[in-house]
Amino acid sequence: DHPELDLASLDKAYDKLDGEEHSTFPELEYFGQMHGTYLFAQGQGGLYIIDQHAAQERCKYEYYRIEIGNVSSNQQRLLVPIVLTYPTTDALKIEENLDKLADLGIELEDFGKNTYILRQHPTWFKQGEEEEIVREMIDMFLNDDKLTVAKFREKTAIMMSCKRSIKANHHLEEEQAKILLKKLSTCENPFNCPHGRPVLVHFTSKDMEHMFKRIQDPHQTGFDDEL
Ligand code: ZN
Ligand code: ZN
């Protein structure tokens, strides 16, 4: 139900992020939410409409990018280890990539018969979704023979940011919305989600004046008596 979570779109997102630039963000004054999906704010530059999922995804993505890069003793032990069994062809690929998985803190223990055991995981994993996350990470290798550690790290950050962000149709309290906009303003690139979709749409005061025909088009008549 969330198309951005498939592997093909992860790939596209990764490619786009390669050429990303840094930029400055306008000062925003929040004034409302629409349909549990869009946040409205005004600033000196005019009206800003923000996609709350894309905004949070961007914030989380920048957070995960750092967290995932910090592999150390940062591990959470599982009470019940995760047991993963794969077909032989997949197991061979996993075997080839065990070191790359370990580079991100996923230490799969060989349990024979194409089976692996995971006893602990990085702390950025979401509780209750450990198996789903590790399976999706393994899928990245099964679907891409040339996956580098750098790309693996990046794709995992994109995947996690999407998973952990509020979806549409979710009411935000005014305070939560303001905090989200504040966080967004501190992002390296607040203008796009990691999949390349826009986080905000901007209408300048000029745009608004045009929309409401407050600015006279010299070729047009009929609005002369209005002010
Ligand atoms: Zn998403
Ligand atoms: Zn996205």
Side-chain angles (χ1 to χ4, degrees):
D1 61 339
H2 197 65
E4 285 183 341
L5 277 173
D6 69 44
L7 287 162
S9 64
L10 261 183
D11 253 331
K12 255 186 252 152
Y14 174 80
D15 291 339
K16 275 200 194 116
L17 282 168
D18 254 1
E20 196 166 85
E21 290 167 26
H22 298 191
S23 36
T24 50
F25 198 66
E27 189 99 26
L28 296 181
E29 185 197 323
Y30 172 76
F31 64 86
Q33 188 193 38
M34 179 187 151
H35 294 175
T37 301
Y38 303 106
L39 306 179
F40 281 75
Q42 59 179 326
Q44 288 216 308
L47 170 69
Y48 298 83
I49 305 172
I50 296 105
D51 179 319
Q52 69 187 30
H53 174 76
Q56 204 175 39
E57 207 173 52
R58 163 53 60 177
C59 297
K60 299 262 177 208
Y61 163 71
E62 294 195 3
Y63 163 80
Y64 279 111
R65 203 170 46 178
I66 293 167
E67 281 304 294
I68 290 168
N70 282 337
V71 184
S72 53
S73 47
N74 228 11
Q75 294 272 319
Q76 173 72 49
R77 245 190 128 65
L78 283 158
L79 290 177
V80 182
I82 295 169
V83 180
L84 304 158
T85 303
Y86 283 88
T88 307
T89 45
D90 289 351
L92 287 171
K93 278 190 190 171
I94 293 169
E95 203 67 44
E96 283 168 23
N97 291 294
L98 283 177
D99 53 334
K100 287 180 192 158
L101 284 156
D103 277 344
L104 264 72
I106 312 295
E107 294 187 28
L108 293 181
E109 207 176 292
D110 194 346
F111 204 60
K113 292 194 176 161
N114 303 337
T115 299
Y116 299 92
I117 286 194
L118 185 72
R119 298 186 191 276
Q120 52 185 19
H121 60 76
T123 49
W124 51 261
F125 265 48
K126 189 177 182 181
Q127 239 197 340
E129 291 181 5
E130 296 90 348
E131 180 167 345
E132 184 188 321
I133 294 169
V134 77
R135 280 189 184 277
E136 286 184 50
M137 289 172 80
I138 289 171
D139 280 351
M140 291 178 197
F141 285 106
L142 299 182
N143 287 282
D144 182 353
D145 286 330
K146 293 184 284 279
L147 191 63
T148 61
V149 177
K151 190 170 178 181
F152 180 39
R153 200 173 280 149
E154 195 81 340
K155 285 172 97 172
T156 303
I158 299 168
M159 172 192 83
M160 289 304 295
S161 68
C162 189
K163 270 185 191 298
R164 300 213 72 173
S165 295
I166 26 163
K167 303 294 184 250
N169 301 310
H170 180 87
H171 173 76
L172 283 188
E173 295 300 330
E174 185 174 334
E175 209 42 44
Q176 295 175 300
K178 284 181 176 172
I179 289 169
L180 176 55
L181 292 183
K182 188 110 207 131
K183 267 197 198 150
L184 183 64
S185 74
T186 65
C187 285
E188 268 184 50
N189 173 4
F191 297 103
N192 295 97
C193 87
H195 304 88
R197 285 203 289 120
V199 167
L200 87 177
V201 169
H202 175 206
F203 295 97
T204 64
S205 303
K206 265 249 157 55
D207 293 334
M208 308 273 292
E209 284 167 5
H210 272 291
M211 283 192 278
F212 290 100
K213 304 209 184 294
R214 287 175 162 274
I215 292 178
Q216 284 292 335
D217 182 333
H219 301 290
Q220 216 177 349
T221 49
F223 297 100
D224 296 333
D225 357 296
E226 283 203 59
L227 283 172

